[in-house]
Amino acid sequence: MKTTVLAALGFATALSMPANAEEIKVGLLLPYSGVYAALSNDIEAGFELAIEEYGSETDASFVLLREDTEVKPPVALAKAKKLILQDKVDVMAGIVSSGVLGAVRDLIDGAGVPLIVANAGNDEATGAHCSPFITRMSFSNGQVNRPMGPWMVEQGLTKVFTLAPDYAAGRQMIDGFTQTFTAAGGEIVGQEYTPFQKTQDFGPFLAKAKASGADAVYVFYAGGEAISFVKQYDSFGLKADLPLFGSGFLTSPLYVNAEGPAAEGVITALHYVPTLDSPENAAFVTAFEAKTGRTPSEYAVQGFDAARALIEATKTGAMDRDSLANALRQVHFDGPRGTLSIDPATNNIVQPIYVYETVAGDAGLTQKVLATLPATLDPVNGCAMAPVSN
Ligand code: PHB
C-alpha cells in the first residue's frame, strides 16, 4: 500500500492510497501565521478532504509540503523558491493574499511550475499578468464584487462610502464594485483605504463614513481584520443608519460567530455559502463537519476544489509539470458551490455568485441566500495566452 505524506512545518501525516501510485509532490504555500492564518487551516482541511474522498480515483499519490508565507510577499517568494528549486515540487497550491500572488507570479511562470490558486483573487494573475502555469480555483477580486454594483442600485442605494485594506486585493475589490455601481447610476461619496495588517482602530475611518451623506457602506475585509471591523462598525452605532454591504469574506462562516450579533443583517456577495441547497453541497458539508467539527467556509471549498482539480488533471494521465499545467486548465465539474469550469482565455474560474444576508439561526449565525447571480467571464484585460494543447 502506498501512502500520501503530509509533511513539513514540523509534522507528517499519512493517508492511504492505491498501490503502484505515481508520486506527485505538492507545495502548499499558505499563511499559517498573520491575519489570514485561520483561512489557511480551512483551505488545507478542504484540500486534505478531497484527497481522502477522490484520491483513489487516480493513479497518482500526493506528498504535501507546507510552507508559511506569513502574508509577506518577500517571505513568500523565498519559500516558493525553496519549494521549486530545493524540494522540486511538481505542482504548487494555495496563496491567500493578492500581494503574495503578485510577488511569486514571475517565478512560477519562469520556472514552469503549475500553481493552483486556492484563494488570492488578484485580477492581474488571470488578466494582464496571466500565465499558462497559473489556474485559479477560488475567485477573482472583480468577479466577486462586480455583481453587487447593479444589485445595490436596484435596492435603491445610490450613495455609497467604501472602505478596504490598502493592498492589491482591497483596491481591486473596491474597483470592481465601483465600476459597475457607477455604471448603474450610483455615486461613490467617499473612499478610504486602511493600512493593511496595521489598523486596530477603525474609528477615524468610520467617522468619515458617517459624515459622508452615504446611504450605505461597502467594504472588503477578511480574517482578523473582518472581525475587528464588523464589531467596531456596530459598536460605533453605524449599523442602524448606514447598512453594511461588501464582499462576503466580511462575514465568512469561518469567523462570523466571533463577530456575533454585530454581523446580523450584513449583506454581502460570494461564490460559496454552506447553506446552498444541492446534493453536492450537502455531502461536502457533512464530510467537512465530520473531519473538522466546523461548518465549511468559502476557504474550505476552495481547498477542496483545488485538490479535486489536481486529481481530475492526474486522471487524464498528466503527471509532470507541463502536462499538469495543461490539464488543470481544462478541468470542470459540479462541486459544492455549483458548476465550475476554467475560462481558457484567462485560466480564471467561471462560477455563479450568491448574494447572502447573515441571519440568526438555530445554532449561531447562518447565511440566507437572497439572489443567485449567473456566472460571467472576467474581462481578458490583455491576457495573451497560448491556447490549450493536447
Ligand atoms: C486576497 O488578498 O486576494 C484575499 C485575501 C483574503 C480574502 C480574499 C482575498 O478573504
Side-chain angles (χ1 to χ4, degrees), residues 126 170 202 305 335 365:
T126 49
F202 290 97
D305 287 343
L365 293 165

Side-chain angles (χ1 to χ4, degrees), residues 31 66 71 76 94 118 127 136 142 164 172 180 190 226 288 302 306 347 362 365 380 386:
R66 303 153 80 224
V71 208
R136 183 147 43 203
Q172 292 176 4
T180 58
F288 192 84
Q302 291 162 193
N347 281 6
D362 295 339
L365 293 165
V380 171

Side-chain angles (χ1 to χ4, degrees), residues 287-298:
F288 192 84
E289 283 178 354
K291 179 177 170 66
T292 64
R294 54 182 193 268
T295 303
S297 66
E298 63 279 18

Side-chain angles (χ1 to χ4, degrees), residues 36 39 96-99 119-122 139 141 167 169 173 220 222 249 255 299:
Y36 293 154
L39 286 53
V96 165
S97 154
S98 284
N119 187 73
N122 193 329
F139 59 88
N141 292 331
Y167 82 107
M173 300 233 188
F220 159 69
F249 311 103
Y255 39 74
Y299 308 110

Side-chain angles (χ1 to χ4, degrees), residues 146-154 157-158 177-187:
R146 278 192 308 266
M148 280 301 263
W151 194 84
M152 283 184 66
V153 172
E154 277 163 29
L157 300 162
T158 54
F177 169 74
T178 300
Q179 271 167 28
T180 58
F181 180 65
T182 53
E187 185 193 347

